Amino acid sequence: MDHTFITPLQPLQSIFQANGENLAVNSGIQSGISSFKNIFEEAIDNVRTTDDALAKQQYLLATGQIEDPHTVMIASSEAQMAVDMLVALRNKALESYNELMRISL
């Protein structure tokens, strides 16, 4: 049973702790901002790459260079899912921002 495909869950580290060392609050906030930024950059890059792949597949289909036309539909579905994921991330970020603005101090 050494080669299982299910990886065990790992405990999450606190924003303020990394490798057992205490971090300053500012570095913890910067870490959170950096990871939030990385998530959005990755989602945008995913939209770009899937859109480029779709355009290539459509070109190959239009010029008759493609052997299996179902790959165009697969690329189209992947591109649509990437856009849907990016929109969902944006919507959740806006909902979170609006919720933070409603908090009264």
Side-chain angles (χ1 to χ4, degrees):
M1 299 229 0
D2 293 339
H3 302 299
T4 61
F5 62 92
I6 299 174
T7 57
L9 295 174
Q10 299 295 326
L12 293 175
Q13 291 184 356
S14 172
I15 289 177
F16 304 111
Q17 294 179 354
N19 300 328
E21 298 175 6
N22 288 332
L23 299 175
V25 174
N26 289 337
S27 66
I29 291 172
Q30 291 300 323
S31 162
I33 291 171
S34 176
S35 64
F36 183 74
K37 179 181 172 185
N38 290 339
I39 290 171
F40 267 90
E41 285 177 349
E42 184 179 332
I44 291 169
D45 288 341
N46 191 17
V47 169
R48 286 182 185 143
T49 56
T50 55
D51 190 44
D52 291 343
L54 175 60
K56 181 180 178 183
Q57 291 293 325
Q58 289 173 336
Y59 174 77
L60 293 174
L61 179 66
T63 58
Q65 300 176 20
I66 198 165
E67 294 179 13
D68 46 355
H70 66 278
T71 57
V72 178
M73 291 303 296
I74 293 171
S76 175
S77 296
E78 288 176 351
Q80 184 61 44
M81 287 175 49
V83 169
D84 290 345
M85 176 62 81
L86 181 61
V87 169
L89 284 171
R90 183 210 55 181
N91 289 345
K92 286 296 182 182
L94 287 174
E95 287 175 17
S96 299
Y97 176 78
N98 287 333
E99 188 67 29
L100 287 172
M101 290 298 113
R102 275 183 254 168
I103 294 175
S104 61
L105 297 176

